[in-house]
């Protein structure tokens, strides 16, 4: 029925996939945060044409399930990459793109739509009176951003950014559809070898919950440490 | 590959998809109410189980939850002594209900807590029973606050139903895969585009329904703290 000796054995194998999963998650987090910040900036500054584009982007990527986005980029990206490479005169076989790169691009595209919301919310929480005060003291825009706006906005965004790290971790589990081996895919592979499916999946569940707990705790600590004025 | 010919076949799988969605909606809602109540009330031992359940539903990928249900259910059913009552569809229903319940409880709980404490006190001082308080004062306000979050969770549920294919339930995605394989995997991109449109339409319908409720919600709750709603996908 439920074999506890298998658990220990499986755990070692599945834990081996954790570093790569975390690495991918980290990459996606950085890229999507940058892309999302750009989107949020476009919306915040009300840039005329780009604003409509960002809106359309958000509607599209929030409405379509992530599996489908992943599959679409799996089949659609290689020709696109090849075409773009040929435009700038580089001979590049787009179909040789590693699957994990495609997964990273697809998930980044999805998450960026949500990250834009996070950054926008954080920007809105910023008190404009402080900007006025800084301006009246003769701060330049760069100084205003570096010394006043950025430190506050980052702290306001920490809980939602933590949330998005967890979402990215989970989103990577869909990578098994295009043969990227993360924690979930590794547990499937392990189970396929010894037929103890439930055991392998229980291990994966525990790993995910532990990671979630660790990330949340770390973020809470960081927020408390950085939040100086309360 | 002509897309018009594909659509009726995909549509034939829609009832099963919708059946799974509605089961998860209803059972998930009941689970969410129970979990949220336990987490607010803090009963000694049971509340810990509720905490564990909610963190399971929220921190574990939905595909994994589906697989756990798929491989764990036979074990559970065998323990109860009913060996044949089991299919991928049932596993999908159970898995998604558990997921939706856990996710939704974290929409309901903050919404309940966001209702101003003074409203409770006022109701208590007027001698309202718990039930009267819930149906007349706290409930409507909490519903009003919870509706946007509920809309999100409904859309995520619709998205995540696309994953039940992996445990072998014959939903729209699975049918699309059948169609693709029949045409020797030549038109995957086009098929997935059609799927994307179908799912977008389903989400649009879900969103419109919630929007309707939001607009018709008679409750105007200025005192209630407005929750910060940052939508995050649930995978």
């Amino acid at each position: 029925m439920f074999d506890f000796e298998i658990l220990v054995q499986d755990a070692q194998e599945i834990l081996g996939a954790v570093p790569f999963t975390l690495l991918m998650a980290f990459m996606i987090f950085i890229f999507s945060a940058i892309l999302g910040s750009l989107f949020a900036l476009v919306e915040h500054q009300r840039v005329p044409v780009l604003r409509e584009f960002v809106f359309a982007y958000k509607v599209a990527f929030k409405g379509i399930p992530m599996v489908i986005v992943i599959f679409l980029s799996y089949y659609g990206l290689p020709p696109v990459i090849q075409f773009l490479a040929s435009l700038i005169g580089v001979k590049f076989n787009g179909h040789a793109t590693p699957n994990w790169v495609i997964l990273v691009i697809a998930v980044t595209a999805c998450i960026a739509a949500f990250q834009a919301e996070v950054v926008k919310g954080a920007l809105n929480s910023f008190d404009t009176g402080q900007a006025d005060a800084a301006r009246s003291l003769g701060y330049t825009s760069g100084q205003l951003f570096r010394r006043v706006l950025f430190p506050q906005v980052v702290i306001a965004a920490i809980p939602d950014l933590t949330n998005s790290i967890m979402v990215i971790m989970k989103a990577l589990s869909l990578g098994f559809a295009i043969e990227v081996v993360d924690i979930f895919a590794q547990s499937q592979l392990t189970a396929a070898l010894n037929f103890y499916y439930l055991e392998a999946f229980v291990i994966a569940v525990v790993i995910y919950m532990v990671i979630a707990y660790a990330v949340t705790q770390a973020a809470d600590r960081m927020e408390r440490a950085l939040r100086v004025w309360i | 590959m002509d897309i018009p010919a594909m659509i009726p076949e995909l549509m034939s799988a829609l009832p099963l998809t919708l059946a799974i969605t509605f089961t998860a909606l209803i059972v998930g809602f009941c689970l969410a109410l129970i979990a949220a109540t336990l987490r607010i009330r803090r009963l000694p031992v049971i509340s810990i189980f509720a905490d564990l359940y909610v963190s399971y539903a929220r921190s574990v990928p939905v595909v994994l939850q589906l697989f756990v249900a798929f491989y764990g259910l036979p074990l559970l059913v065998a323990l109860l002594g009913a060996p044949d009552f089991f299919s991928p569809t049932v596993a999908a229903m159970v898995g998604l209900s558990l997921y939706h319940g856990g996710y939704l409880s974290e929409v309901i709980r903050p919404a309940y807590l966001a209702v101003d404490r003074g409203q409770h006190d006022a109701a208590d001082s007027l001698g309202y029973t718990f039930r009267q308080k819930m149906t007349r004062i706290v409930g409507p306000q909490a519903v009003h606050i919870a509706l946007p979050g509920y809309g999100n969770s409904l859309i995520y549920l619709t998205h995540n139903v696309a994953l039940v294919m992996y445990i072998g339930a014959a939903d729209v995605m699975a049918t699309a895969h059948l169609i693709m394989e029949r045409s020797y995997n030549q038109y995957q991109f086009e098929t997935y585009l059609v799927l994307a449109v179908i799912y977008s339409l389903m989400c649009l319908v879900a969103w419109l329904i919630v929007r309707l409720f939001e607009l018709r919600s008679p409750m105007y709750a200025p005192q209630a703290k407005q929750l910060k709603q940052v939508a995050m996908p649930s995978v």
Side-chain angles (χ1 to χ4, degrees), chain A residues 116-130:
Chain A
E117 224 74 55
V118 171
V119 179
K120 202 172 76 177
L123 280 177
N124 285 342
S125 78
F126 177 69
D127 184 11
T128 45
Q130 294 194 21

Side-chain angles (χ1 to χ4, degrees), chain A residues 62-63 75 164 170 173 209, chain B residues 55 58 61 159 188 228 232:
Chain A
K62 280 181 183 173
Y75 294 114
S164 66
K170 296 194 288 171
S173 70
M209 288 176 76
Chain B
S55 72
R58 285 171 58 87
H159 279 189
Q188 282 132 329
K228 201 176 73 174
M232 259 299 167

Side-chain angles (χ1 to χ4, degrees), chain A residues 62-63 65 67-68 71-72 75-76 114 118 160 164 167 170-171 173-174 176-177 184 188 197-198 201 208-209 212, chain B residues 55-56 58-59 61 63-64 67-68 71-72 75 159 163 166 188-189 192 195 199-200 203 228 230-233 235:
Chain A
K62 280 181 183 173
V67 223
I68 293 184
F71 271 122
L72 277 176
Y75 294 114
F114 293 95
V118 171
D160 293 325
S164 66
V167 169
K170 296 194 288 171
S173 70
L174 301 178
F176 84 100
F184 171 65
Q188 259 190 320
Y197 281 96
L198 192 59
F201 291 137
Y208 275 111
M209 288 176 76
Chain B
S55 72
Y56 164 78
R58 285 171 58 87
S59 69
V63 216
L64 188 49
F67 273 91
V68 169
Y71 289 105
L75 219 69
H159 279 189
L163 300 175
Y166 292 117
Q188 282 132 329
F189 190 73
Y192 281 115
L195 273 182
Y199 275 101
S200 303
C203 285
K228 201 176 73 174
V230 172
M232 259 299 167
V235 188

Side-chain angles (χ1 to χ4, degrees), chain B residues 7-202:
Chain B
I7 289 172
E9 196 174 346
L10 286 176
M11 285 300 149
S12 69
L14 210 55
L16 185 85
T17 311
L18 289 179
I20 294 173
T21 314
F22 278 114
T23 315
L25 262 183
I26 294 161
V27 180
F29 185 73
C30 300
L31 281 174
L33 275 185
I34 296 170
T37 314
L38 284 176
R39 296 195 62 187
I40 292 168
R41 283 278 133 124
R42 301 253 43 114
L43 297 176
V45 185
I46 319 169
S47 286
I48 295 170
F49 285 108
D51 290 351
L52 212 60
Y53 161 60
V54 171
S55 72
Y56 164 78
R58 285 171 58 87
S59 69
V60 175
V62 181
V63 216
L64 188 49
Q65 293 186 34
L66 283 172
F67 273 91
V68 169
F70 184 62
Y71 289 105
L73 264 191
L75 219 69
L76 206 69
V77 165
L79 280 181
L80 296 174
D84 286 330
F85 174 69
F86 177 67
S87 76
T89 314
V90 177
M93 286 170 175
V94 172
L96 283 177
S97 300
L98 285 174
Y99 147 73
H100 186 61
Y103 191 92
L104 194 60
S105 83
E106 278 303 272
V107 173
I108 292 175
R109 191 178 66 97
Y112 174 83
L113 293 176
V115 176
D116 194 23
R117 191 65 232 168
Q119 302 277 326
H120 288 264
D121 297 341
D124 288 339
S125 72
L126 288 171
Y128 277 42
T129 64
F130 178 73
R131 191 162 157 194
Q132 284 172 325
K133 191 169 81 174
M134 282 323 284
T135 52
R136 295 188 197 164
I137 296 180
V138 181
Q141 297 187 49
V143 166
H144 182 79
I145 300 170
L147 263 176
Y150 187 76
N152 281 340
S153 66
L154 189 57
I155 286 170
Y156 301 145
L157 179 64
T158 320
H159 279 189
N160 288 326
V161 175
L163 300 175
V164 300
M165 176 195 85
Y166 292 117
I167 57 168
D171 75 321
V172 181
M173 276 283 274
T175 315
H177 275 255
L178 276 184
I179 294 172
M180 279 186 269
E181 270 155 34
R182 215 166 46 217
S183 58
Y184 304 105
N185 282 339
Q186 292 179 66
Y187 304 102
Q188 282 132 329
F189 190 73
E190 292 83 343
T191 318
Y192 281 115
L193 271 185
V194 175
L195 273 182
V197 173
I198 291 178
Y199 275 101
S200 303
L201 286 179
M202 272 162 60

Side-chain angles (χ1 to χ4, degrees), chain A residues 107-188:
Chain A
V107 177
T108 303
C110 281
I111 301 291
F114 293 95
Q115 292 279 49
E117 224 74 55
V118 171
V119 179
K120 202 172 76 177
L123 280 177
N124 285 342
S125 78
F126 177 69
D127 184 11
T128 45
Q130 294 194 21
D132 296 339
R135 282 262 156 68
S136 72
L137 288 171
Y139 277 40
T140 63
S141 310
Q143 283 173 326
L144 169 70
F145 178 78
R146 246 179 316 120
R147 300 198 190 151
V148 184
L149 195 141
F150 187 70
Q152 295 190 44
V153 167
V154 163
I155 294 170
I158 284 179
D160 293 325
L161 290 178
T162 321
N163 203 350
S164 66
I165 292 181
M166 280 321 300
V167 169
I168 292 166
M169 283 290 302
K170 296 194 288 171
L172 287 172
S173 70
L174 301 178
F176 84 100
I178 59 169
E179 287 136 35
V180 180
V181 180
D182 75 321
I183 299 171
F184 171 65
Q186 183 60 49
S187 69
Q188 259 190 320

